Amino acid sequence: MQPMLVDSHCHLHMLESGKSHPDIYLNAARERGIGHFLTVSVDLDSVDGLLDMAARYPQVSTSVGVHPCGRQLRMESPETLAAMAAPDHVVAIGETGLDYLCTEDSDREWHHQRFRDQIRAAKLAGKPLIIHTRGAAEDTIRILREEGADAVGGVIHCFTENWTSAKAFMDLGFYISLSGIITFPKSHGLRKVSRKLPMDRIMVETDAPYLAPVPHRGGQNQPAFVREVAECLAEVRDVPLPELAERTSENFRQLFGVGL
């Protein structure tokens, strides 16, 4: 029997034909033991489509949020975002956060405010956060603290930071999600950090269609490939794959309240 895994962060609607035919990817993943999928919002215009997908497929959950890259993306008040997140299929606010690789040093006020608004929306909705942080760990941690994000917690998706940052995020009640980056040959530091993470704080993800793991690197990622992420993490931590699958799936259930 295949171990049951969860892809804790993917974008099914961004996959080739995924918006209209997600069955292609869901069935391929199911054959490899992946039983649940969190397809994550990056803009508010896609929310209705994601809600429809989650309503049609009981193994799919979704979120409401605006990606930190893209100042042109429509944003709403925390109250409106919280109302959009009310349906049961919506399990989180995000992905939100800070990305200093796509913003200028002099153009960060809107960036920080958008992040703060989504933290406030999560608190109003009573749902956890999905955090994207790149080149901005210190400010991400600071704003999470200032906004009291520990009241809802969440997950740091596609984690690539050091142990100090990992500990700070976990102290705020956040989980750490590892992506295909952990399989890349040069990711020695990330693998070292992943060995130290408590088992009750880790998840696995694809971020499909991005960041395909070895041996699929360079092509379109898909939820089925979360198996490679889990296999690599199990090897790095020297634990059996079924044990890692069970623990990461339980962590997902604990955070998002999703029955698996």
Side-chain angles (χ1 to χ4, degrees):
M1 183 177 176
Q2 296 266 35
M4 204 286 276
L5 287 159
V6 172
D7 186 351
S8 68
H9 190 114
C10 60
H11 304 284
L12 286 169
H13 60 300
M14 294 183 179
L15 292 164
E16 184 178 352
S17 302
K19 187 173 183 179
S20 54
H21 299 290
D23 313 69
I24 298 169
Y25 301 101
L26 298 177
N27 291 338
R30 192 178 300 113
E31 290 178 1
R32 304 193 73 205
I34 296 90
H36 200 88
F37 313 82
L38 176 48
T39 186
V40 177
S41 168
V42 295
D43 65 83
L44 300 183
D45 293 337
S46 66
V47 168
D48 286 346
L50 294 177
L51 282 170
D52 179 66
M53 186 185 297
R56 286 186 290 128
Y57 299 95
Q59 68 271 44
V60 175
S61 301
T62 191
S63 68
V64 168
V66 182
H67 195 282
C69 289
R71 187 172 185 173
Q72 76 283 1
L73 296 175
R74 176 169 66 93
M75 184 61 182
E76 299 287 353
S77 69
E79 292 78 13
T80 299
L81 291 176
M84 293 175 70
D88 290 341
H89 301 305
V90 178
V91 299
I93 295 291
E95 64 188 275
T96 181
L98 301 177
D99 191 322
Y100 286 173
L101 275 68
C102 66
T103 54
E104 299 292 334
D105 290 353
S106 60
D107 193 31
R108 289 183 179 164
E109 185 175 349
W110 70 271
H111 203 41
H112 291 179
Q113 190 58 52
R114 177 183 286 180
F115 184 25
R116 291 181 187 275
D117 284 346
Q118 292 183 83
I119 297 171
R120 292 167 188 173
K123 292 169 69 177
L124 288 170
K127 296 187 177 182
L129 287 152
I130 300 170
I131 300 297
H132 169 116
T133 182
R134 194 167 60 148
E138 185 175 327
D139 281 349
T140 302
I141 293 164
R142 175 179 59 81
I143 290 174
L144 288 171
R145 285 175 177 157
E146 290 173 356
E147 293 295 331
D150 56 330
V152 290
V155 59
I156 310 302
H157 111 86
C158 193
F159 182 82
T160 56
E161 304 294 339
N162 57 27
W163 173 248
T164 299
S165 295
K167 189 174 184 307
F169 286 127
M170 290 187 292
D171 287 346
L172 283 163
F174 282 76
Y175 291 75
I176 305 295
S177 182
L178 287 308
S179 70
I181 293 174
I182 197 174
T183 71
F184 296 177
K186 294 183 180 180
S187 295
H188 306 294
L190 181 58
R191 287 189 286 272
K192 183 177 179 180
V193 171
S194 73
R195 282 195 290 270
K196 299 174 68 176
L197 295 170
M199 279 287 279
D200 63 356
R201 282 286 152 181
I202 56 176
M203 295 185 195
V204 287
E205 66 170 88
T206 59
D207 198 20
Y210 311 108
L211 301 175
V214 173
H216 310 286
R217 193 174 181 186
Q220 177 181 252
N221 202 357
Q222 59 174 286
F225 298 163
V226 80
R227 173 99 184 203
E228 278 78 1
V229 179
E231 287 173 345
C232 179
L233 184 58
E235 181 179 354
V236 165
R237 296 182 64 92
D238 194 25
V239 298
L241 178 61
E243 179 182 338
L244 183 102
E246 180 180 6
R247 184 66 259 185
T248 54
S249 296
E250 175 61 15
N251 293 342
F252 181 88
R253 187 190 69 79
Q254 289 283 350
L255 177 61
F256 294 114
V258 175
L260 303 178

